[in-house]
Amino acid sequence: MHIVVIGLSHKTAPVEIREKLAFAPTAMERPLRQMLELSTINEGLIISTCNRVELCAVTKEPDAAIAELRRFLAEYHEVSPEEISENLFDYQGEEAIRHLFRVSSSLDSMVLGEPQILGQIKTAYGYAAEFKTAGLILNRFLHKAFSVAKRVRTETAIASNAVSVSFAAVELARKIFDRLDNKGVMIIGAGEMCELAARHFVTNGISKVLVTNRTFERAEKLAAEFEGKAVPFDSFVDHLAEVDIIMTSTGAPNFILGKRQMEEVLKRRKNRPMFLIDIAVPRDIDPKVNDISNTYLYDVDDLQGVVQANLKERQKEAGKAEAIVEQEIGQFHLWLGNLEVKPTVIALRRKLEEIRQQELEKTFGNLKDLTGKQRKSIEAMAGAIINKILHKPTAILKNSQNDTSGEDYVDAVRTLFDLTAVADDDQEIKPLDDPDQA
Amino acid sequence: MTANLLLFKITLLVYFVATICYLIGVISRKEGVRQSAVWILISGFGVHCVTIVVRWCSSGAAPVASLHESLSFFAWALIGTYLLFYWRYRTVMLGAFITPLALSLMIIGTNQSAQAPALNPMLDSWWFPVHVTLAFLGHAVFAIAAAAGIMYLLQERMLKSKKFSGLFYRLPSLDTLDSMNYKCLTFGFPLMTMGIISGAIWANSAWGGYWRWDPKETWALITWFIYAALLHGRLTIGWRGRRAAIVAIIGFCLLLFTFFGVNMFLSGEHSFRNFTGQ
């Protein structure tokens, strides 16, 4: 059995094509069922997000399956296969396993380490489970992918540190104030970025919001949105001492806040620290303000710098994450390989033969005065018992190759006779543990 | 080797391992290193407690008379205070400053005679252990303040210059560090004050005078004024942050000088030689 993946992502296709090929999340039953009707597909799963559309399947003939899936994706969305063929990637075998592990660990995301993708894959798997298009192998595969993602998340810092400007502002505030719930913020000017950052601050616990704008109505409107208070633009400086964080994004051509003014404010606050975020271009706050002690001024470039530094931190972690993925691929690949009928039959026979040898030795140890002939016949009897016992199961296993029940039997036999412990190359491997706990 | 000395050596060894873990924890990205550092330190502290109790029982007097004993007690107070702060603030990074200091004190301690001293009868008063204990607890709290101060300066520098190293992500927030400074001051200053007063009372009973202006007393008084100024500045005129951090560091340097420097460079009644009459 092989795993194959075909699809497209933000790396291979522009949004115009991605939106054409996306599946509506509310109507997954039809495409899933149609996918399973394809002659080469045994199990199927569809992942569709704004950044990627992927079809993942279990098949006996990987090359044929890939071709069929490519055609299916195009025909389902009524585009010609040639039109999108350049944008589609496909993987099979170990490559396919690596791909899905990397995607669910957010190593393939547009923003490295973003957390949504795992939830999206879980939803996709939920549909496949609901409509019974995922069987033994996809179940195991997806659970493994989730546990890999979890390991990556807990063992590396790939998802820590903000990678957007507005989030970076919140994180910096945390590094200055620790707690935000008893802090206040003033928004000067009503730029979109300011609004976004303000929203982040409010969701992170900021309790007091003051808004000021040259047009007082706009200030009032924005203040209402955050359950804050609007203050007149002419007198906003008088209110600065009441807040801890100041965000500016006015269209003013000159500085609206100078060093002398801020020194006054700090004195009124008894030097309690202030965090100033100047997102305006041209800037609103005199950069010299940063020289005042207990005052931290960040402009747009500074925040970009923080984001870049955070991204670099994440990138450093990515290597570690890739290593985790590689480890897990080996394990899963082994399990998948073990689902083949022939090696299973051989392993089963070898196992029973071992038992026969051990028991014969024990018996002969106790019965020392047996003649050679008697020994021979006891040996033959033990062999005959094994053959008789194995006859029917072997036949069933061999026949099951021809239908989808094959893996279920093989998996059952491997579990019942504890055959998972030894790999083909006689290397000891750990038994596969519960994927949710790994 | 006596049981006591053996315990001391074990403590030293565990502290050594803990210090290494803390220092690795500063650069490592693995949370596990920092967690194990804490647990190793806690077990070392446990052994240290036993060491001190055993010593106390065997000599019958509070184990703070010889330099060896004092250093060990100082280190004990330091680790104990750190663990209390860890419990409250959960900052592992603080340990990276405190454990090397405690370890150095212990190492200097091993080079001192571990003989239980025959206490100079003149010093045999209940005020003696009270004075020394209060003084060392104050020292320990101020050591935390100084470590928090160093961390504050590092963190503040990164926030101001907008150049962040990996340390930035592991250091606590400025607010936490500054509030540690304040907490230390509110505990350390009364401890130090009571230490000086109890010392004066003891001096009166031993030598018949409350204050003799010997070098240690003088330096302790200077240090006390520094901390008094910091406390005053914090409470009334809004000293905080960077300035408070710097003063806390200077204050602790003075404390260390009062403890070591005066013994080494200047002579006076506080020299350990005088304690034991050697």
Side-chain angles (χ1 to χ4, degrees):
Chain A
M1 279 297 160
H2 301 269
I3 290 173
V4 297
V5 178
I6 74 133
L8 67 168
S9 72
H10 57 96
K11 286 184 178 157
T12 64
V15 64
E16 300 84 56
I17 294 188
R18 296 206 303 272
E19 66 192 4
K20 248 188 241 169
L21 297 179
F23 292 88
T26 45
M28 289 303 280
E29 184 169 2
R30 196 166 69 96
L32 277 170
R33 290 213 191 287
Q34 286 184 11
M35 187 175 155
L36 216 64
E37 278 162 17
L38 300 174
S39 62
T40 54
I41 305 300
N42 294 0
E43 298 178 34
L45 170 85
I46 298 175
I47 301 165
S48 180
T49 75
C50 51
N51 279 333
R52 62 181 69 245
V53 176
E54 305 203 6
L55 307 180
C56 176
V58 174
T59 175
K60 283 202 182 94
E61 305 147 69
D63 293 317
I66 285 171
E68 236 181 353
L69 286 174
R70 278 172 168 265
R71 215 172 315 122
F72 166 73
L73 183 62
E75 279 165 9
Y76 187 89
H77 294 286
E78 290 161 359
V79 295
S80 73
E82 294 76 36
E83 191 186 331
I84 58 165
S85 74
E86 293 234 315
N87 300 109
L88 291 183
F89 54 74
D90 56 63
Y91 299 108
Q92 52 174 294
E94 206 174 293
E95 293 271 285
I97 300 171
R98 177 177 297 112
H99 176 72
L100 200 86
F101 282 2
R102 291 185 75 246
V103 170
S104 51
S105 307
S106 196
L107 287 167
D108 196 47
S109 299
M110 195 183 257
V111 178
L112 191 66
E114 57 91 10
Q116 283 95 337
I117 184 67
L118 184 60
Q120 288 160 336
I121 294 180
K122 278 185 174 163
T123 312
Y125 170 66
Y127 288 123
E130 186 184 338
F131 304 121
K132 304 225 162 39
T133 62
L136 175 84
I137 293 178
L138 276 190
N139 281 337
R140 188 68 167 252
F141 182 37
L142 268 294
H143 279 115
K144 196 75 205 166
F146 301 152
S147 82
V148 173
K150 196 172 159 193
R151 259 193 80 187
V152 165
R153 201 150 281 269
T154 50
E155 290 177 29
T156 75
I158 195 157
S160 56
N161 310 323
V163 286
S164 73
V165 165
S166 46
F167 247 127
V170 175
E171 235 170 49
L172 282 167
R174 279 243 175 78
K175 276 290 177 195
I176 296 170
F177 300 116
D178 201 49
R179 288 172 51 186
L180 298 180
D181 51 353
N182 50 0
K183 301 291 183 291
V185 59
M186 183 186 283
I187 303 164
I188 305 172
E192 203 178 307
M193 188 99 108
C194 245
E195 216 181 302
L196 190 64
R199 190 150 295 146
H200 280 317
F201 273 120
V202 170
T203 51
N204 279 280
I206 285 271
S207 52
K208 181 178 182 179
V209 181
L210 299 184
V211 186
T212 187
N213 197 297
R214 268 186 224 280
T215 359
F216 192 67
E217 289 77 54
R218 284 190 67 181
E220 274 182 320
K221 213 177 130 210
L222 194 59
E225 230 174 280
F226 297 118
E227 292 172 23
K229 202 177 83 180
V231 293
F233 192 76
D234 304 326
S235 61
F236 80 86
V237 178
D238 301 335
H239 297 277
L240 286 179
E242 299 166 29
V243 296
D244 308 277
I245 301 162
I246 301 170
M247 261 190 300
T248 64
S249 66
T250 74
N254 302 315
F255 298 142
I256 59 165
L257 253 182
K259 192 178 177 190
R260 180 114 14 109
Q261 283 166 305
M262 279 311 295
E263 277 170 344
E264 270 305 307
V265 171
L266 259 291
K267 206 177 272 173
R268 291 218 310 271
R269 290 170 55 81
K270 281 198 165 180
N271 283 323
R272 272 182 295 129
M274 287 194 93
F275 179 31
L276 292 84
I277 305 153
D278 183 358
I279 333 187
V281 181
R283 289 177 291 181
D284 281 338
I285 304 173
D286 186 346
K288 288 201 197 84
V289 165
N290 195 43
D291 300 337
I292 307 171
S293 64
N294 295 314
T295 308
Y296 306 91
L297 169 63
Y298 279 71
D299 63 29
V300 146
D301 282 3
D302 297 333
L303 289 175
Q304 282 300 354
V306 174
V307 167
Q308 288 309 318
N310 286 350
L311 267 178
K312 233 187 256 164
E313 281 291 300
R314 284 191 178 194
Q315 240 118 42
K316 281 189 210 157
E317 293 298 299
K320 254 198 259 172
E322 300 278 5
I324 291 175
V325 167
E326 289 306 315
Q327 268 178 23
E328 301 279 352
I329 290 173
Q331 248 191 48
F332 183 77
H333 202 61
L334 196 62
W335 177 81
L336 195 62
N338 278 341
L339 288 184
E340 297 297 324
V341 168
K342 221 168 140 193
T344 306
V345 172
I346 293 170
L348 180 59
R349 204 153 251 295
R350 200 190 292 148
K351 174 102 181 181
L352 295 191
E353 184 60 29
E354 262 170 40
I355 295 173
R356 184 176 81 114
Q357 290 303 338
Q358 280 169 13
E359 293 306 310
L360 282 176
E361 255 171 54
K362 243 195 258 170
T363 309
F364 292 154
N366 292 336
L367 306 170
K368 290 213 171 58
D369 40 356
L370 289 178
T371 66
K373 206 175 160 197
Q374 285 168 321
R375 278 169 163 254
K376 277 258 158 59
S377 65
I378 290 179
E379 274 173 26
M381 179 196 72
I385 291 177
I386 289 179
N387 283 338
K388 283 260 158 67
I389 292 177
L390 281 186
H391 177 70
K392 191 75 184 164
T394 311
I396 290 178
L397 275 175
K398 281 185 176 157
N399 281 331
S400 72
Q401 263 175 305
N402 305 322
D403 60 62
T404 48
S405 65
E407 294 81 38
D408 293 319
Y409 278 122
V410 168
D411 193 41
V413 167
R414 290 239 169 221
T415 313
L416 288 175
F417 290 93
D418 192 20
L419 299 179
T420 42
V422 181
D424 288 343
D425 49 8
D426 278 343
Q427 236 179 8
E428 198 76 25
I429 62 149
K430 277 189 290 181
L432 291 163
D433 30 22
D434 182 0
D436 283 326
Q437 289 178 351
Chain B
M1 192 156 35
T2 62
N4 182 263
L5 202 59
L6 184 68
L7 281 167
F8 181 85
K9 292 259 159 77
I10 293 173
T11 310
L12 181 72
L13 189 71
V14 181
Y15 281 174
F16 178 73
V17 177
T19 306
I20 299 286
C21 286
Y22 270 106
L23 293 179
I24 293 173
V26 173
I27 44 171
S28 167
R29 287 159 194 283
K30 288 211 177 76
E31 199 44 50
V33 181
R34 289 185 274 278
Q35 285 311 312
S36 46
V38 174
W39 284 108
I40 294 169
L41 189 66
I42 288 174
S43 57
F45 183 67
V47 181
H48 204 169
C49 290
V50 176
T51 313
I52 287 177
V53 170
V54 166
R55 182 126 191 146
W56 197 322
C57 293
S58 67
S59 74
V64 283
S66 72
L67 186 55
H68 169 82
E69 289 173 338
S70 310
L71 286 165
S72 167
F73 185 76
F74 191 2
W76 177 84
L78 207 52
I79 300 292
T81 316
Y82 163 70
L83 288 175
L84 277 178
F85 267 80
Y86 175 75
W87 178 58
R88 168 77 177 73
Y89 289 97
R90 296 278 143 189
T91 112
V92 177
M93 291 296 286
L94 189 60
F97 295 89
I98 296 303
T99 49
L101 180 61
L103 183 68
S104 325
L105 293 173
M106 295 289 281
I107 289 172
I108 301 171
T110 47
N111 294 326
Q112 307 298 324
S113 159
Q115 280 291 318
L119 197 64
N120 190 331
M122 194 173 70
L123 304 176
D124 199 6
S125 151
W126 267 109
W127 286 110
F128 172 60
V130 170
H131 162 64
V132 179
T133 306
L134 288 171
F136 276 134
L137 286 178
H139 283 33
V141 175
F142 284 140
I144 304 273
I150 296 170
M151 284 156 70
Y152 187 97
L153 293 184
L154 287 173
Q155 184 75 309
E156 202 239 23
R157 211 186 136 80
M158 284 190 276
L159 277 165
K160 275 272 191 207
S161 67
K162 291 139 195 177
K163 289 191 188 78
F164 305 106
S165 72
L167 209 57
F168 173 74
Y169 302 99
R170 287 184 283 278
L171 283 173
S173 68
L174 291 181
D175 194 62
T176 308
L177 291 167
D178 194 48
S179 84
M180 274 165 73
N181 177 292
Y182 183 62
K183 269 270 153 57
C184 288
L185 210 53
T186 51
F187 283 106
F189 190 71
L191 282 170
M192 189 183 187
T193 311
M194 290 190 297
I196 290 178
I197 293 172
S198 61
I201 296 173
W202 171 47
N204 187 42
S205 71
W207 296 300
Y210 287 104
W211 198 269
R212 296 155 56 100
W213 293 110
D214 92 334
K216 191 145 189 163
E217 288 171 3
T218 313
W219 280 99
L221 195 65
I222 295 171
T223 316
W224 185 85
F225 271 115
I226 296 273
Y227 284 113
L230 176 57
L231 190 60
H232 176 76
R234 278 208 82 111
L235 291 176
T236 59
I237 45 176
W239 276 17
R240 56 168 68 237
R242 188 180 158 77
R243 188 175 312 184
I246 291 173
V247 177
I249 295 168
I250 294 174
F252 187 65
C253 290
L254 276 174
L255 268 188
L256 282 183
F257 177 74
T258 313
F259 182 60
F260 286 112
V262 173
N263 275 327
M264 278 177 226
F265 306 122
L266 310 162
S267 62
E269 302 294 353
H270 275 83
S271 157
F272 285 99
R273 246 169 284 135
N274 293 350
F275 283 0
T276 51
Q278 278 162 15

